[in-house]
Amino acid sequence: MVQLGRRYGEGPASLSEIALDEELPRAYLEQLVTSLREAGLVTATRGARGGYQLTAPPSEIRMGEVLRALEGPLAPMFCASDDPDHAACARSARCTVNLLWVKVRDAIADTLDSLTLADLVPVRHIVLDPREPAASPAGLA
């Protein structure tokens, strides 16, 4: 997702390019993009110049969404899951540490939901050609 965030607005990026940049197997990335597509975070374009791209600007994609799409509920223990599809432990109501796991889950979720993909995408630095003279500020030339 960070690679797609870096390339946002430049068109689709191929998984082969991303695999090379990240030193990851292409087959692994194919598994990831399936989940990301199902979550509506990326879209695919077919063809010679095809690939994947974000469905929204990096500043609008919360990291909690990304992790939930890839990993499922953000629970440190299954008994702390807030996902209705995950069965709660029968002991949750009387468990002495369930409160701890719920607080940990909430802290993780709050942190991830406070960060966007843009927070993880480094700002592009403008590299000036050292052979070119620097522009003078207006009025100082």
Side-chain angles (χ1 to χ4, degrees):
M1 289 295 285
V2 171
Q3 283 286 338
L4 295 178
R6 285 183 183 132
R7 301 164 192 234
Y8 183 74
E10 298 175 5
S14 77
L15 288 186
S16 297
E17 293 170 354
I18 295 171
L20 190 62
D21 288 348
E22 293 296 322
E23 299 177 5
L24 293 170
R26 188 177 193 279
Y28 174 66
L29 293 179
E30 288 171 354
Q31 294 173 359
L32 296 180
V33 295
T34 298
S35 297
L36 296 168
R37 281 182 67 194
E38 289 172 359
L41 296 172
V42 300
T43 186
T45 304
R46 296 186 150 209
R49 299 213 186 262
Y52 294 87
Q53 56 191 357
L54 300 176
T55 57
S59 62
E60 294 178 14
I61 297 176
R62 301 262 165 220
M63 292 312 300
E65 291 178 273
V66 174
L67 267 316
R68 286 180 188 95
L70 296 173
E71 302 293 335
L74 301 175
M77 299 290 285
F78 76 93
C79 63
S81 177
D82 58 358
D83 186 335
D85 293 337
H86 285 76
C89 174
R91 298 185 51 216
S92 292
R94 63 183 192 284
C95 179
T96 56
V97 294
N98 181 259
L99 176 65
L100 167 71
W101 295 126
V102 169
K103 286 186 174 278
V104 169
R105 176 204 65 206
D106 291 347
I108 292 168
D110 289 347
T111 299
L112 291 170
D113 291 335
S114 73
L115 294 169
T116 67
L117 185 56
D119 294 321
L120 301 180
V121 175
V123 176
R124 292 186 183 147
H125 297 285
I126 298 171
V127 178
L128 298 174
D129 186 342
R131 297 169 291 177
E132 299 269 332
S136 300
L140 297 177

